[in-house]
Amino acid sequence: MSSGLRQPFGKIFPSKKLINRILFKLDSNVTSRNIIPLYRQLHENGKLIDSSGISGNPNTLFLMNRVLFEVKKQTKQQNETLKYMELYFLKKAALLGQADAISLLCFDVLNNAKGNSTNDVNHCSKLLKALVQKNHPLALKVVGDLNYSVSQPEESAKWYSQYLKIVPQGKDGIWRPQVLEKLGELEFRKGGFSNVSIAEQYFLEAIGTSKLQDCVKSYFYLSQIHVNYDPVKARVLLEQCCTQGFKEAFKTLGYLEAQYFKNLDKAQEWFKLGMELFDLESYFGYFDCCVQSKQWMQAYKTYQTLLKLKPTQRGANSELIGLFLEKKNDTINKVIIEHKRDDTDVDANGVSSIAVDIQRSSKWSI
Amino acid sequence: MFLCVAVKRCHIRRYATGPRPLSLLSRDAFLASSQNNSRFEQLSKMVLSSHIKLIPDDHKPIDGDRINSEQTLPRTTDFKSHEDLSNVPSWRRTPTLWIRVGKKLIRLYRDSVVYTFKLHRSAPRISLPKLLQQLELGDAKSEPLPSRKSFVENAVRVKEFRKIPVFILCLIVFEELTAVLMYIWPQIAIHRCLGIKGFRKISKKFARKDMDLAKHPQYKTAYTLNRHQKLELLNSLFANKTPRWKFNLWAKFQVADKLEQEICKTLQYLIIDDSLLLKEITSEKKLALTYNELVNCILERQLYETHEDLNEMVNDPKTRQVLLWRLVSYLSFRFDGVLTPVSNISGSEGKTFTTKWGVNNVALLNYPGTTPTLIQLDHLPLLTESN
C-alpha cells in the first residue's frame, strides 16, 4: 500500500469529470469538491486524519467506496492504490454501522470462508442474520449471492425474489438489475419454454433499468434465447455484448455471421477479436472462415498457432485442440498443400513471400 | 445454454445427409422411401381409416371449430351450380338465376368486408419467432397454443384488411361490374370474395414452376440467395401478403435484411401452420377439413402445377384424394422424426423442427415431399396398397 501511495495522486486518480458523472449516476447529494480532498488525504497519509464532518458520515464513506467501484467498472482496470482505498472506505463505513457496507463486507468474508478465521466467519454470519431479520435489501441480495456461489439455485432464487418484493420496480436502481439478471440466469438454466419466457422478462427488465455495461450478461442470454428463432435480433444483441468485450459473444457472433448470414468477412473480424482475448473456439472459427474464403496463408498460420498453443493449454482446452486437429485432418492437409502452392506461385512471379505476408496480414495477424 | 448447443448441433447437421422425400420413380423406390418414414406411416393410416375427413365448403362452422377459417377463404364452387331452378318456369330461369346469384354475391361481399374488418380490430399481434419457439420448446406449464384457425386468421388473413378501401370503392363505382373487375384483376379482391375463375388466375400465378430434383435439401439460409432469387422466391409465395412493390423498393435501395426477413417470416408461418395442422391431425379427435381449407393448404405450400385447377380437383372425389395425399406426403417429409406440440409435452423422443432442418432453412421451400413429381391420380393405388 505504502509503495502504491507514493505515486502522485493526479496520476492514479480519475478525472473530476468522471467522478462527477458517477456521483450523478449514484444520485448523490455530495459533490466531487467534498470527496476528492478526502481521497487525496487518504492517499497522502494512508488514513483519514479528520473523522468529523463529512468524513465521519458512514453513508458518505460508503458512497466513496461505490465511486471507486464504479471507476473500476467503467475503466475496466484495477489499480492497487484505488483497490486499497475502496476497501478502506468499505471497512470504515461498516465500522460506523452502514448496513450496505456491512452486507458487502460480510459477503467478502463468507464467500471466502476458508481464507478467513472462524471468528470472523461467525461474526459476519451473525451480522448478516441480524440484517436479514430487519429485511435489509442488500443483505437479502448478499444471501442470494452466497447461495448462488455454492450452486444452490432454488435457495438463491428465493432470496432474490424476496429482494424484489422489498425493492419494487422503480426504486433503488443500483442492485435491482443485478438481481434481475441473476434471477433470469437461474430461470434460463432450468430450460423449457415457460422458464425461458420468465427469464426473458427478467433480462428485459434488467436491460430497461440499467446501462449496457451493467447488464452485458442479460444481453448475451437474450441473444441465446433468440438465436434459433430470430437470428437478426440475436445478432444485434451479440454485437452489443461485443462492444463491452464479453468474451463468449465473439465466437457466437462469428459463427452466426458465418453460418447464417453467410458474411465471412464479418465473421472473420469477430473471430479475430475473439482470438485477441485468447478464446479457443475463435481460432477454430477463424480457421474455417479462412478455408471457406480460400485464404490459405491465414489458415495455415492459424493452424500453426493452434499447434503452438496445444502444449501450453491444460485439460479440456488441450483436448479440444486435439479433437479439432483430428476432425479437420483432411482440411488441414489441403491447407498445407495450397499454402505451399501459393508460396511457389509467388516465388515464380518474383515476389517474395514475406511481402505477400505483409500485404495479407492485418493488424490482428497471428 | 442449451440453445447454444442446439445451434452447434444444427451447424453439424447441415453437413450431414438429409432425409429424402418419398420417391415416386418406381414401386420399389416408393416402398423403400416410405418404409423409413414413420410419419408417413402414421398419417397414411389416418387417411385410410378416414380419421381425416374432407367436408364441403358450405359446412356451417360450429362453435369450437379450431381448424377451418371458412369466412376468409373463397368458395370452391360457384353459386350458379347450387341453384335449384326446377320450380321456376323456363322463360324466367336465366334472370332468376342471375338475380339469386347477384343477391348471394352481395351478401358474400358484405359479410367478407365485415368479417375482415372485425378480424383486423380484434386480432392480437403475433410474433412468429416466439410462437415457433413455444411450439418447439413448449412444456406443460406454458401458455396454451392458439388454434390453427385463430393463428392463420391473425397472422396472415387479417392482412386482407388493406384491400377493403379499394374494394368498397369498386363496389360503389362499378356496382355489379365489380365481379367482372375481380375476374380481370383478382388481386384487388378480398380473398374470400374471389370467384372460381379469379381464383384460378391467382393459383396459376403461384403454381410450382419446377421441381428441385436434389435428393435431399442442403442447408440454405435466405442470405445465400442473390437479389434475383430472393425476389423470385418472394413473388412465388402466396402466404406472403406484403405488397409486391415493397419488395422491388427494398431490393432497389438494398435495404439490409428486409427481403431475407420476409422470406424467413413466410417460412416460419408455414412451419407453424404445418405444426398446428399436424397437431390437429394426430390428436384423437377426428379432423374435418373443408374443401376450401384443403385448397388453401395446397396453394400456400405450392403442391400443384400450373395446369391443375384446384377447385375442380377438390370437387372431384378421386382428385380430392390426390390433394390430400400430397398434403400428407408434404407433412411426412418435413415432420418425420420431428416432435409435434402434443408429443413434445408428453416428453417423447424426437427432434425439434429447427434442430432437424437448421435455422430458417429456405431450401425446404423447394421440396413438396415427393420426387420426381407431385402425386398424381395414377399413384393412388400405390399409396393405398403400401399400407
Side-chain angles (χ1 to χ4, degrees):
Chain A
M1 157 64 195
S2 56
S3 62
L5 285 182
R6 277 180 206 131
Q7 288 175 11
F9 183 73
K11 268 193 178 178
I12 53 154
F13 204 73
S15 67
K16 190 179 171 186
K17 200 176 167 185
L18 179 65
I19 300 293
N20 276 332
R21 210 185 302 151
I22 293 170
L23 286 173
F24 181 76
K25 186 190 164 189
L26 296 174
D27 197 19
S28 145
N29 48 12
V30 180
T31 60
S32 59
R33 197 184 289 175
N34 301 128
I35 59 169
I36 289 180
L38 293 178
Y39 286 122
R40 188 184 289 275
Q41 204 182 92
L42 176 65
H43 174 256
E44 281 164 5
N45 305 315
K47 59 179 182 176
L48 291 178
I49 300 163
D50 180 22
S51 59
S52 60
I54 200 166
S55 57
N57 185 343
N59 289 336
T60 311
L61 292 172
F62 183 64
L63 176 82
M64 290 170 78
N65 164 272
R66 295 327 294 161
V67 168
L68 292 174
F69 178 76
E70 285 293 322
V71 167
K72 184 173 73 184
K73 210 163 73 176
Q74 289 191 19
T75 54
K76 290 190 173 59
Q77 53 185 337
Q78 198 166 22
N79 181 301
E80 275 301 312
T81 315
L82 295 185
K83 191 181 168 186
Y84 168 79
M85 282 183 174
E86 194 186 325
L87 196 66
Y88 178 86
F89 285 118
L90 186 70
K91 280 182 180 170
K92 190 95 179 157
L95 281 173
L96 292 173
Q98 218 284 344
D100 284 350
I102 294 171
S103 306
L104 289 180
L105 212 56
C106 288
F107 176 76
D108 284 346
V109 173
L110 295 175
N111 199 31
N112 184 23
K114 283 177 187 171
N116 289 292
S117 66
T118 327
N119 276 346
D120 283 353
V121 172
N122 290 339
H123 185 60
C124 284
S125 303
K126 270 184 192 173
L127 285 172
L128 200 60
K129 216 172 186 179
L131 286 172
V132 167
Q133 276 169 355
K134 281 182 185 172
N135 265 348
H136 180 68
L138 188 57
L140 297 175
K141 180 189 173 286
V142 161
V143 178
D145 287 344
L146 286 169
N147 279 304
Y148 183 86
S149 62
V150 291
S151 306
Q152 287 188 332
E154 281 173 19
E155 271 293 302
S156 55
K158 196 182 91 184
W159 289 105
Y160 287 141
S161 307
Q162 214 168 325
Y163 173 91
L164 289 184
K165 269 183 203 163
I166 291 172
V167 185
Q169 204 171 0
K171 279 190 179 179
D172 193 5
I174 308 170
W175 309 107
R176 198 179 155 85
Q178 283 181 26
V179 172
L180 288 167
E181 194 171 82
K182 283 272 167 62
L183 268 174
E185 209 177 315
L186 292 169
E187 289 292 333
F188 181 81
R189 283 182 183 170
K190 281 184 198 167
F193 178 75
S194 50
N195 295 327
V196 170
S197 298
I198 296 168
E200 191 182 355
Q201 291 309 314
Y202 282 131
F203 292 138
L204 286 174
E205 202 185 326
I207 287 170
T209 51
S210 60
K211 283 187 176 176
L212 168 62
Q213 66 224 32
D214 300 332
C215 55
V216 190
K217 268 190 176 179
S218 298
Y219 277 86
F220 183 71
Y221 279 116
L222 265 185
S223 75
Q224 294 305 296
I225 292 172
H226 292 296
V227 77
N228 276 356
Y229 304 97
D230 200 348
V232 177
K233 201 183 264 184
R235 178 172 64 178
V236 174
L237 291 163
L238 285 169
E239 280 171 355
Q240 295 290 322
C241 294
C242 289
T243 60
Q244 298 303 310
F246 192 74
K247 195 176 169 183
E248 280 285 310
F250 291 99
K251 64 170 180 234
T252 319
L253 188 53
Y255 278 121
L256 195 64
E257 286 285 0
Q259 299 292 337
Y260 185 77
F261 294 105
K262 300 289 173 191
N263 193 338
L264 288 179
D265 293 341
K266 266 194 184 179
Q268 246 173 318
E269 289 301 320
W270 291 121
F271 284 133
K272 267 181 196 171
L273 291 171
M275 288 193 309
E276 282 187 0
L277 298 172
F278 294 102
D279 178 38
L280 210 54
E281 281 190 54
S282 293
Y283 284 91
F284 305 156
Y286 188 76
F287 177 84
D288 283 344
C289 282
C290 291
V291 171
Q292 280 184 53
S293 54
K294 294 181 180 169
Q295 295 176 3
W296 306 116
M297 179 74 79
Q298 302 290 60
Y300 182 74
K301 281 185 175 180
T302 317
Y303 164 64
Q304 291 293 333
T305 315
L306 280 171
L307 286 181
K308 277 180 200 165
L309 273 176
K310 200 186 169 194
T312 62
Q313 300 291 315
R314 285 177 193 169
N317 279 356
S318 177
E319 269 177 39
L320 208 61
I321 297 176
L323 201 68
F324 176 79
L325 296 176
E326 190 188 315
K327 291 266 176 196
K328 296 271 175 182
N329 196 20
D330 295 345
T331 322
I332 289 167
N333 287 338
K334 195 182 171 188
V335 166
I336 294 168
I337 293 164
E338 292 292 342
H339 162 252
K340 276 182 187 167
R341 191 181 295 161
D342 272 6
D343 268 2
T344 341
D345 289 350
V346 168
D347 289 343
N349 290 329
V351 186
S352 76
S353 56
I354 299 164
V356 177
D357 266 12
I358 292 165
Q359 195 188 338
R360 285 185 184 176
S361 63
S362 66
K363 63 177 177 173
W364 293 292
S365 63
I366 308 149
Chain B
M1 216 46 78
F2 64 99
L3 286 169
C4 204
V5 174
V7 173
K8 281 177 193 165
R9 276 184 198 151
C10 294
H11 161 59
I12 296 159
R13 185 71 192 77
R14 284 163 202 159
Y15 300 104
T17 309
R20 297 182 178 196
L22 299 173
S23 172
L24 298 172
L25 272 172
S26 65
R27 188 190 143 83
D28 290 343
F30 173 75
L31 288 175
S33 56
S34 63
Q35 260 173 7
N36 298 328
N37 193 322
S38 56
R39 184 70 73 188
F40 180 74
E41 198 185 326
Q42 181 195 17
L43 294 180
S44 54
K45 269 181 193 164
M46 285 177 163
V47 173
L48 294 173
S49 63
S50 303
H51 185 81
I52 307 171
K53 208 174 147 193
L54 296 172
I55 49 174
D57 305 341
D58 46 13
H59 137 90
K60 294 273 177 257
I62 44 164
D63 286 343
D65 188 350
R66 293 169 51 83
I67 303 146
N68 306 294
S69 167
E70 284 175 69
Q71 293 95 322
T72 56
L73 292 174
R75 296 168 56 82
T76 56
T77 50
D78 54 12
F79 286 119
K80 271 197 295 179
S81 57
H82 289 273
E83 285 304 324
D84 179 18
L85 299 168
S86 53
N87 297 333
V88 182
S90 56
W91 62 271
R92 60 181 178 93
R93 270 186 189 167
T94 312
T96 310
L97 173 72
W98 284 110
I99 285 167
R100 284 183 187 179
V101 168
K103 271 184 182 174
K104 281 186 177 174
L105 271 178
I106 293 295
R107 207 174 299 142
L108 174 76
Y109 292 166
R110 187 197 61 198
D111 292 349
S112 308
V113 169
V114 170
Y115 191 80
T116 314
F117 187 73
K118 277 184 184 168
L119 196 63
H120 180 259
R121 280 188 68 181
S122 61
R125 204 173 157 212
I126 285 187
S127 163
L128 294 175
K130 196 85 203 156
L131 192 54
L132 184 59
Q133 193 178 21
Q134 189 185 349
L135 268 166
E136 295 199 339
L137 308 174
D139 46 29
K141 279 191 282 174
S142 42
E143 282 176 33
L145 288 166
S147 67
R148 183 185 176 266
K149 181 186 173 184
S150 71
F151 168 69
V152 292
E153 283 183 352
N154 296 330
V156 166
R157 296 180 197 170
V158 68
K159 290 176 185 167
E160 292 290 310
F161 176 76
R162 68 182 172 84
K163 291 182 182 173
I164 289 181
V166 177
F167 185 70
I168 291 178
L169 201 70
C170 285
L171 274 175
I172 294 168
V173 176
F174 300 103
E175 295 175 355
E176 62 272 16
L177 275 176
T178 309
V180 182
L181 279 179
M182 285 193 311
Y183 166 67
I184 302 169
W185 294 292
Q187 62 273 21
I188 64 164
I190 296 176
H191 195 53
R192 167 70 171 156
C193 304
L194 274 177
I196 303 293
K197 287 180 180 168
F199 180 81
R200 174 87 186 98
K201 268 190 169 184
I202 292 266
S203 65
K204 257 186 186 175
K205 195 178 157 191
F206 292 101
R208 185 171 289 276
K209 302 282 185 310
D210 45 0
M211 296 273 291
D212 196 319
L213 295 177
K215 281 176 185 167
H216 54 81
Q218 295 289 333
Y219 180 73
K220 208 182 247 186
T221 72
Y223 291 83
T224 52
L225 309 176
N226 61 36
R227 182 186 148 179
H228 174 70
Q229 284 171 324
K230 277 184 263 191
L231 279 176
E232 200 179 21
L233 180 60
L234 277 170
N235 286 323
S236 70
L237 293 170
F238 178 74
N240 190 305
K241 298 288 179 188
T242 311
R244 271 41 186 165
W245 59 265
K246 280 193 183 176
F247 300 152
N248 295 321
L249 206 69
W250 292 334
K252 193 166 186 182
F253 292 102
Q254 296 179 347
V255 185
D257 292 335
K258 270 285 184 186
L259 292 175
E260 292 86 352
Q261 289 260 57
E262 280 297 317
I263 296 172
C264 294
K265 263 190 211 168
T266 317
L267 180 69
Q268 286 185 342
Y269 164 75
L270 288 174
I271 295 169
I272 296 168
D273 191 17
D274 290 342
S275 304
L276 292 175
L277 195 63
L278 195 65
K279 182 190 157 209
E280 297 294 343
I281 293 174
T282 49
S283 69
E284 285 172 7
K285 217 174 160 186
K286 277 194 175 182
L287 174 87
L289 204 62
T290 54
Y291 290 173
N292 51 5
E293 199 62 72
L294 176 65
V295 165
N296 193 66
C297 287
I298 299 289
L299 176 68
E300 282 183 344
R301 289 155 185 79
Q302 294 179 297
L303 303 177
Y304 65 102
E305 286 166 53
T306 322
H307 65 271
E308 289 174 331
D309 185 344
L310 292 177
N311 287 333
E312 207 179 288
M313 284 175 85
V314 85
N315 283 301
D316 181 86
K318 277 190 177 172
T319 43
R320 192 186 307 146
Q321 285 302 309
V322 172
L323 293 183
L324 184 59
W325 278 107
R326 280 183 193 177
L327 186 63
V328 162
S329 59
Y330 166 89
L331 291 174
S332 310
F333 167 63
R334 286 188 160 207
F335 288 86
D336 182 33
V338 170
L339 290 167
T340 57
V342 178
S343 56
N344 199 359
I345 289 167
S346 63
S348 66
E349 284 182 13
K351 293 172 184 172
T352 62
F353 192 90
T354 311
T355 317
K356 183 179 178 186
W357 295 109
V359 181
N360 294 337
N361 185 356
V362 292
L364 277 180
L365 291 169
N366 288 334
Y367 287 81
T370 51
T371 52
T373 58
L374 291 165
I375 291 174
Q376 302 297 335
L377 205 54
D378 49 345
H379 293 127
L380 281 186
L382 178 66
L383 290 162
T384 46
E385 172 198 326
S386 66
N387 286 281

